[in-house]
Amino acid sequence: MTRRLWWLALLWCQFLTTGAQAGTIRLAPGQDSYNLNASADVLEDASRRLRIENVVAGGAANAFKPPQQGLSSFGFTDSAFWLRFRIDNPEPAARRMLLVLRTNWLDTVQVFSPDAWGLYTEQRLGDTLPFRERPYAMPQLVVDLQVAPGISTYYLRLTSTQAFMTPIELWEPESFHQNDRLWSAYYGMVYGILLVMVLYNGFIWAAMRDRNYFFYCVYLIAFFMMNFSYSGFAYQYLWPESPRWSNWSHTHWIFLFLAMAIVFSMHFLESRTRLPRMHRLLQAYLGVMLVSWIGVTAAGDTVAYNAAPVYFVFGCTPLILAAGVAAWFNGYRAARFFVLASMATLVGSFFTALTASGFLPYTFANFHAAEFGIMADVVLLSLALADRIRTLREQREAAELREIEQRLHTAAVLEQSNEELERTVLERTAELARARDEAERFARIDALTSVANRRYFEEVAVQEFARARRYDQPLSVMVMDIDLFKQINDTHGHAAGDIVIQTVAAVARESVRDADFVARIGGEEFCILLPDIHLEQAMVTAERLRERIARCTLEHGGHPLVCTASFGVSELAGTDLSFGALLQRADQAMYAAKQAGRNRVMAGSPAGAAPQAPHGAGEG
C-alpha cells in the first residue's frame, strides 16, 4: 500500500509540473498506424543514470523537449534518450496495439506502460539480448501495448552505440502483419536480384577467369552481408545467440563493402595503367580506411567504431565516381556505364548515410536509398562489364583480322615464287612434327596408366611454381600412395597390382579439374598439382578422391581386391624457395597419414610444423 501511495504522489507531482507535456495520439476508427516521432517529447540523458522515477516527476520531467519536426535520428552518441507520449483511447474497452521500432540495432529498449494502479511496468528489448527473448520473431522490435480507455502516458528509454535512429510507429496488429508481409516481399526482391546477379557473374567468371567478374561478385556479396546485417536478418537467421557479434559485425561488413568497391573499381577501370595518379589516390584512401578499420576496432570506443565506416562513405563514393569520369574522358568506353552506376550508388549511399548520421529524418525512401542505388548499380555495372567484354572482343577480332590479312599476303607472295617447294617443306615439317610429338608423348606419359610420368611432372611443377610466385596465386600439391600395395602384389600377383594402379589413376583423373595435373611419380605413388587452389579446397578434393578410391570394387582371378590410399596435401607458402619444399611437406604429410592408420588425408604445415589433423577413417 505504501508503494502505491508513493507512485500516486509521483503522478500527482507530474500533473502539477509546468514543463513540456507529451504529445497525444488519439486512436481513431479506421486508422491503422500512427507515427510517434511527430508526437513524442524527447529527453537526452547524457549520464545514463535517470530512472523511470526521475522522468515521471521532478526536474527531469520538466526537461523533455517537443519533437523536432519528426526527426528520428540522433546521430552517434553515448547518451540515453527518453521518449514520452500519450495515447488517447476514446473507446470504453482496452485496445491492443503494437509499438514498432524499425531500428533493429538499438542496444536497449525499455518500454514503461501504466497499469490500472498508476504504476509502470517495464518491458525490455534490444540487440544486446539473445534473439529468442524477443516477443515477436522479426528483425524490428515489436511490443504489445494494452491501451486502457482514456489518456495513458508511456515512456521509452533507448540506448545505442550505433547510429541512433528511432523511427517509432503504433499499429493495429492485423494491419502491421499485413504491412510486414510487404516488407518481407521487398527484401525478398532485393536479395533475389542480388543472388541472381552473383550467380550470373560468377558463372561468367568461372568460364572466362576474368578477375573483374570475381571482384564484382565479392562486391555484391559484401553489400548483401552489410544490408542483411543492418536490416536485422543476419541476427535473426545467422547468429541469433550471439548479440555481441551481431553488434560488432555491422561495422566490419560496411568496411568490407567499401574496400571491395575500391578494389573492384581499380581493376575494372584498369587504373594502374590508364590512371596512375588516380590509382595511387585510390590506394591511399584504401590504406587509410584499412588502418582506420584496425584502429577503431582496437581502440574500444564503440561510438567511434560504429561511426567511422559511415563517414568513410562520404569520401569513398565521390572518389570512385571521379575515377570513373577520368577514365571516361581518357577514352575508356566501358567507363560510361560505370559512371552512371557510381552516380546511383553515390546518391543512395549519401541519403542512407545522412539518415543514419542524423542529418535527415528517417523515411523509407531515405534509409533504403542505398538499396535502390545498388539495384541500379547492379544493372548498370553488368552492362559495363558486358560492354567491356564486347570492346575487348572487337579489339581482338580486329587484331586477328589484320594478322590474317598479313599472313594471306605473305602466303600469296611465297606461293607465286616457289609453291611446290613450300608444299614439300610443309609436308615434311608436318611429318617431323607428328613424329616429334609422338616421341615426346611417349617420353612424358606413363605407359601403364596413361597419366604423366615423373619427368613430365617435374617440368610442369617448376613452371606452375614460377607462375604462382610471379602472379601471387595459390598452388597446392597432393601426394597419394596406395596402402599395403606390396601385400596386393604378394597375394594376388603383379597383374592384380597393375589393375589397382590403373584404377587409381583413372579415378584420380575423373575426380579433379581439367586444370589439375595428375602424374605417377613412383611404383604406387601419385602426385597431383592443383593450380589456383588453397589448402582448404585441396583437402576437400583429396577427401573426395580418397572416398572414391575406397569405394572402388575390383576383381582379379575371381578374387575381390580392396584398395585404399593415404594422402598428403600442402599449399605454397611464402617461405618456399623451390617446388621441392612444397612437395616435401606433402610427402611428409602423406607418411604421417600412413603412420596414423592409412586411408586418410593430412595437411602438411610449413616450417617443419606437425601435419594437421587427418581427414578420413583409418583401416583399424
Side-chain angles (χ1 to χ4, degrees):
M1 179 64 70
T2 303
R3 185 184 177 194
R4 291 176 180 173
L5 291 174
W6 185 81
W7 271 102
L8 289 174
L10 284 178
L11 292 175
W12 177 250
C13 293
Q14 180 189 16
F15 178 78
L16 294 177
T17 56
T18 59
Q21 294 297 313
T24 302
I25 299 171
R26 183 176 178 84
L27 302 183
Q31 185 171 350
D32 297 328
S33 63
Y34 307 83
N35 177 14
L36 298 186
N37 292 103
S39 303
D41 295 334
V42 180
L43 170 64
E44 181 176 2
D45 177 13
S47 66
R48 292 195 174 195
R49 294 180 180 178
L50 294 179
R51 297 293 179 263
I52 182 64
E53 297 87 354
N54 308 124
V55 300
V56 169
N62 295 325
F64 278 91
K65 297 179 180 179
Q68 300 179 3
Q69 300 178 349
L71 186 67
S72 58
S73 179
F74 304 105
F76 294 91
T77 175
D78 273 327
S79 299
F81 283 86
W82 288 83
L83 302 182
R84 181 178 65 188
F85 58 92
R86 295 191 297 178
I87 303 178
D88 182 7
N89 179 11
E91 299 178 0
R95 185 171 174 182
R96 177 172 174 253
M97 302 293 288
L98 294 181
L99 183 67
V100 180
L101 291 89
R102 293 291 181 183
T103 305
N104 66 84
W105 62 72
L106 294 173
D107 292 342
T108 60
V109 176
Q110 295 169 262
V111 183
F112 297 94
S113 305
D115 60 16
W117 292 93
L119 306 179
Y120 279 91
T121 59
E122 177 185 352
Q123 299 181 70
R124 184 183 292 266
L125 301 90
D127 69 350
T128 57
L129 301 175
F131 190 85
R132 66 175 182 276
E133 296 189 15
R134 297 190 179 186
Y136 290 89
M138 53 184 57
Q140 58 266 42
L141 303 171
V142 182
V143 181
D144 270 308
L145 295 183
Q146 292 294 335
V147 183
I151 299 176
S152 303
T153 303
Y154 293 84
Y155 292 87
L156 291 178
R157 183 183 183 273
L158 310 174
T159 65
S160 179
T161 55
Q162 300 182 55
F164 212 131
M165 290 171 45
T166 59
I168 307 174
E169 303 162 0
L170 194 66
W171 281 85
E172 288 279 356
E174 181 61 30
S175 298
F176 169 73
H177 292 301
Q178 293 178 1
N179 177 266
D180 187 62
R181 284 191 285 271
L182 295 177
W183 277 78
S184 300
Y186 165 75
Y187 279 112
M189 176 194 69
V190 173
Y191 298 147
I193 292 174
L194 287 174
L195 176 62
V196 169
M197 296 311 298
V198 168
L199 293 176
Y200 171 73
N201 290 281
F203 285 134
I204 297 178
W205 170 74
M208 301 181 59
R209 296 297 176 182
D210 186 334
R211 287 195 298 175
N212 285 288
Y213 284 95
F214 171 77
F215 287 120
Y216 184 51
C217 288
V218 178
Y219 164 75
L220 292 178
I221 293 172
F223 177 85
F224 166 78
M225 288 305 304
M226 176 185 70
N227 187 274
F228 204 62
S229 177
Y230 72 65
S231 297
F233 294 109
Y235 187 32
Q236 180 178 2
Y237 295 111
L238 301 183
W239 36 77
E241 299 301 321
S242 302
R244 180 175 176 82
W245 167 246
S246 179
N247 272 282
W248 278 84
S249 63
H250 296 303
T251 292
H252 292 306
W253 299 130
I254 298 174
F255 268 124
L256 178 62
F257 167 70
L258 295 176
M260 290 312 306
I262 295 175
V263 171
F264 169 70
S265 301
M266 290 191 297
H267 280 81
F268 179 86
L269 297 174
E270 300 174 1
S271 59
R272 183 185 298 275
T273 55
R274 295 179 181 274
L275 308 165
R277 292 184 180 178
M278 182 61 71
H279 182 79
R280 288 192 293 270
L281 184 58
L282 288 168
Q283 283 183 318
Y285 192 87
L286 179 62
V288 170
M289 188 170 65
L290 294 179
V291 170
S292 300
W293 185 357
I294 296 172
V296 296
T297 302
D301 186 336
T302 53
V303 174
Y305 173 79
N306 290 300
V310 176
Y311 292 133
F312 268 105
V313 172
F314 296 119
C316 182
T317 313
L319 184 61
I320 293 175
L321 176 60
V325 172
W328 191 0
F329 287 170
N330 201 35
Y332 188 35
R333 192 181 71 177
R336 64 188 190 277
F337 289 115
F338 182 90
V339 170
L340 295 176
S342 299
M343 289 181 64
T345 306
L346 172 66
V347 174
S349 300
F350 260 61
F351 270 83
T352 298
L354 288 171
T355 304
S357 302
F359 298 108
L360 287 178
Y362 173 91
T363 65
F364 179 85
N366 287 350
F367 183 63
H368 295 274
E371 294 159 11
F372 305 149
I374 200 67
M375 293 299 99
D377 184 285
V378 162
V379 175
L380 293 170
L381 280 180
S382 297
L383 292 174
L385 287 168
D387 186 66
R388 179 179 178 275
I389 295 292
R390 183 168 57 252
T391 301
L392 293 175
R393 185 176 65 246
E394 291 173 355
Q395 293 175 351
R396 185 173 60 252
E397 290 175 351
E400 290 176 352
L401 181 60
R402 289 194 298 270
E403 183 178 356
I404 291 173
E405 291 175 349
Q406 182 64 32
R407 289 181 178 179
L408 290 174
H409 175 72
T410 303
V413 172
L414 292 175
E415 185 179 7
Q416 293 175 2
S417 60
N418 54 353
E419 182 177 354
E420 187 63 30
L421 178 61
E422 180 180 330
R423 184 168 55 253
T424 303
V425 170
L426 290 175
E427 291 175 355
R428 292 185 178 179
T429 300
E431 292 174 359
L432 291 173
R434 285 194 297 272
R436 185 188 65 243
D437 292 343
E438 189 69 17
E440 184 67 21
R441 178 179 175 276
F442 281 115
R444 293 184 171 187
I445 301 301
D446 178 65
L448 178 62
T449 61
S450 296
V451 299
N453 58 21
R454 188 181 190 94
R455 171 193 168 191
Y456 192 16
F457 171 77
E458 291 174 350
E459 293 177 2
V460 174
V462 170
Q463 295 173 1
E464 287 295 330
F465 179 86
R467 184 185 65 83
R469 277 295 196 192
R470 176 177 298 175
Y471 298 106
D472 193 24
Q473 294 177 342
L475 174 64
S476 295
V477 65
M478 180 195 312
V479 175
M480 67 172 175
D481 187 271
I482 301 173
D483 296 328
L484 303 176
F485 183 74
K486 186 174 183 302
Q487 291 185 10
I488 296 175
N489 274 341
D490 294 343
T491 303
H492 302 284
H494 290 284
D498 290 346
I499 292 175
V500 170
I501 290 175
Q502 290 172 336
T503 302
V504 169
V507 172
R509 285 197 305 269
E510 296 170 357
S511 302
V512 298
R513 307 169 303 166
D514 292 340
D516 301 329
F517 191 80
V518 182
R520 180 187 179 198
I521 61 173
E524 67 272 16
E525 189 173 7
F526 293 82
C527 196
I528 303 176
L529 280 176
L530 303 168
D532 300 319
I533 291 295
H534 287 291
L535 179 62
E536 293 78 6
Q537 190 175 352
M539 292 285 286
V540 172
T541 301
E543 179 63 21
R544 181 173 67 247
L545 177 54
R546 181 196 67 78
E547 292 177 353
R548 291 185 178 180
I549 292 174
R551 290 198 303 264
C552 287
T553 302
L554 308 177
E555 183 178 338
H556 177 71
H559 300 287
L561 301 177
V562 178
C563 72
T564 61
S566 298
F567 292 78
V569 184
S570 65
E571 182 182 4
L572 177 63
T575 57
D576 291 336
L577 300 179
S578 66
F579 178 79
L582 175 62
L583 182 61
Q584 183 180 11
R585 287 201 307 277
D587 204 46
Q588 290 172 349
M590 184 270 292
Y591 279 108
K594 292 277 190 183
Q595 294 172 359
R598 305 183 184 89
N599 188 24
R600 61 191 65 226
V601 179
M602 295 192 74
S605 301
Q612 297 180 14
H615 294 254
E619 294 180 345

